[in-house]
Amino acid sequence: QMLKQIITEIENRQNITRDQLALLLETTDTGDIAFLHERARKTADAIYGKQVFIRGLIEFTNYCKNDCIYCGIRKSNRKAERYRLTEEEILSCCANGYELGFRTFVLQGGEDPYFTDDKICALIRQIKAQYPDCAVTLSIGEKEHDSYQAFFDAGADRYLLRHETADEAHYGKLHPAEMFWKHRMDCLWDLKEIGYQVGCGFMVGSPEQTVDTLYEDLQFIRKLQPHMVGIGPFIPQKDTPFGEKKAGTMEDTLRLLSIIRLLQPHVLLPSTTALGTIHPLGREKGIQAGANVVMPNLSPVAVREKYKLYDNKICTGDEAAECRHCMARRMESVGYKVVVNRGDYH
Ligand code: 5AD
């Protein structure tokens, strides 16, 4: 009863205290948790209806100059088999994706100096020229303001850059000394100011994450007012220093999805591949907890296995068409319909 009141209060105030967050993460009362998910799903339904937006994810390079401790494509990982797609290959992923009903392409990659600003701009221009009815989302990491401006001027619509953690000390435990929390924050504010639809986000259950760091994440989201928030469980990758750490849980991820939906009713909230990796029905449950976006993979099957941020990633053997149809079925199984449009923020 008491927790249900707290959930209603969070919903009405669109705000949460540190202690309320702690209670929601700690409770074992299945009735209260079901109520949390129901309220979040109702909130999403009121704004987006029974629709789920799809984004075609194109993982175009796994070269990376960074060395994030948790990530399988960190530069120190000598076991990662590196690849880059050519411009032709990327465009053919888009062509295939367009046929399958995708109207957003997400170009995601490691921070790969081979892909200069000029190359990225040329790519954006080509995609926008061929598919003027599509949104282009970039997810290529930290750049300087002028690079972000150039990509935007070339036609990029959206940018995903997870902040990873809003707590500076925690950020230091997940990243090498050469990476700066402040720069990442500056990037997100620059992106917002330039006019992108911006996505931030974090891993759930990353090593040394606490209720307090999560509370800071929620406070940061409140300040930034992003259009999207990407969260998924941390999953250890065996060739990284965090290979033996324990994974984040589906339950915590679902609770946080619901909380974020109640705090930011309009936000675009993906039910992530990582969530589908730790549980076979993770993505469906994510939708039922308030998510409204899924991001099936459009990368060529030949490279799927190599874009290994974490172990046991799903769908690495399936062609884009299979992923697309599998996703439609999965969403239908919980009463939702994948729609053919850009899936803009409402
Ligand atoms: N487990 C889960 N997510 C990860 N990411 C990177 N490594 C892992 C991992 N081991 C996430 C980061 C990054 C996004 C592209 O993938 O949050 O921003």
Side-chain angles (χ1 to χ4, degrees):
Q1 179 59 38
M2 203 179 99
L3 256 187
K4 288 199 179 76
Q5 268 168 22
I6 287 174
I7 292 162
T8 302
E9 192 189 314
I10 292 167
E11 181 180 354
N12 292 336
R13 290 174 51 240
Q14 294 172 27
N15 204 355
I16 190 170
T17 67
R18 187 250 171 234
D19 293 339
Q20 291 174 332
L21 175 64
L23 287 173
L24 286 179
L25 292 175
E26 281 155 20
T27 186
T28 54
D29 187 308
T30 52
D32 289 339
I33 292 308
F35 183 73
L36 171 68
H37 296 326
E38 273 163 37
R39 295 315 307 164
R41 191 55 255 175
K42 277 265 159 43
T43 300
D45 280 0
I47 297 160
Y48 291 100
K50 293 284 176 184
Q51 299 193 344
V52 169
F53 296 146
I54 46 170
R55 324 290 192 202
L57 185 64
I58 304 172
E59 300 156 333
F60 69 99
T61 175
N62 72 349
Y63 283 85
C64 191
K65 67 179 166 77
N66 287 332
D67 216 17
C68 305
I69 318 292
Y70 46 84
C71 183
I73 66 169
R74 64 200 302 266
K75 75 166 172 213
S76 306
N77 184 7
R78 305 283 304 273
K79 293 200 176 155
E81 266 188 74
R82 305 290 169 170
Y83 74 91
R84 292 184 180 105
L85 300 185
T86 63
E87 193 176 270
E88 293 68 42
E89 287 172 316
I90 296 168
L91 291 168
S92 108
C93 291
C94 295
N96 188 16
Y98 193 90
E99 284 302 304
L100 293 170
F102 289 94
R103 296 296 179 267
T104 292
F105 300 118
V106 181
L107 298 178
Q108 185 172 92
E111 291 192 23
D112 179 357
Y114 169 87
F115 284 98
T116 58
D117 291 356
D118 286 347
K119 286 199 179 86
I120 296 290
C121 286
L123 202 49
I124 297 164
R125 280 195 212 94
Q126 293 210 56
I127 297 172
K128 292 296 280 194
Q130 279 194 46
Y131 309 102
D133 55 335
C134 292
V136 170
T137 304
L138 297 177
S139 179
I140 55 176
E142 296 178 38
K143 308 275 176 184
E144 294 311 305
H145 176 280
D146 293 358
S147 304
Y148 287 147
Q149 185 70 59
F151 303 153
F152 188 76
D153 294 341
D157 302 276
R158 309 187 184 132
Y159 205 104
L160 304 178
L161 180 69
R162 289 190 176 177
H163 63 284
E164 311 299 354
T165 171
D167 180 286
E168 185 166 10
H170 184 215
Y171 189 90
K173 294 171 184 165
L174 301 179
H175 299 94
E178 302 73 43
M179 288 179 74
F180 297 99
W181 173 84
K182 169 91 169 41
H183 189 254
R184 207 162 182 95
M185 294 288 152
D186 289 345
C187 285
L188 283 159
W189 289 106
D190 282 347
L191 289 161
K192 193 100 207 269
E193 187 251 334
I194 290 167
Y196 284 95
Q197 292 179 41
V198 174
C200 66
F202 56 90
M203 295 178 288
V204 175
S206 62
E208 316 249 7
Q209 185 175 65
T210 64
V211 171
D212 295 286
T213 67
L214 284 168
Y215 181 63
E216 288 184 64
D217 290 322
L218 299 180
Q219 295 284 94
F220 172 65
I221 291 167
R222 186 178 178 77
K223 277 203 236 102
L224 181 67
Q225 291 289 309
H227 301 85
M228 305 166 266
V229 175
I231 71 165
F234 160 73
I235 302 174
Q237 204 289 323
K238 62 182 183 338
D239 305 314
T240 67
F242 286 164
E244 304 294 315
K245 301 280 184 189
K246 65 180 197 318
T249 67
M250 177 170 75
E251 283 70 24
D252 285 347
T253 306
L254 295 175
R255 291 180 197 195
L256 283 158
L257 281 170
S258 293
I259 291 167
I260 293 169
R261 172 63 66 203
L262 293 179
L263 297 178
Q264 303 286 326
H266 290 262
V267 84
L268 294 161
L269 202 52
S271 195
T272 56
T273 305
L275 186 54
T277 296
I278 56 166
H279 188 284
L281 296 176
R283 286 167 302 176
E284 290 88 328
K285 292 178 189 286
I287 297 297
Q288 291 173 302
N292 70 323
V293 175
V294 288
M295 300 173 66
N297 207 312
L298 283 181
S299 311
V301 173
V303 304
R304 293 262 186 111
E305 195 68 48
K306 298 178 184 153
Y307 199 83
K308 203 180 191 181
L309 309 183
Y310 48 80
D311 288 332
N312 307 313
K313 190 175 163 208
I314 53 172
C315 309
T316 56
D318 302 334
E319 291 294 344
E322 295 171 63
C323 287
R324 169 68 177 80
H325 297 121
C326 166
M327 194 59 75
R329 280 195 301 276
R330 285 175 180 273
M331 296 300 109
E332 276 162 26
S333 77
V334 288
Y336 288 81
K337 200 154 181 61
V338 165
V339 288
V340 178
N341 63 37
R342 287 171 38 124
D344 280 303
Y345 182 89
H346 287 192

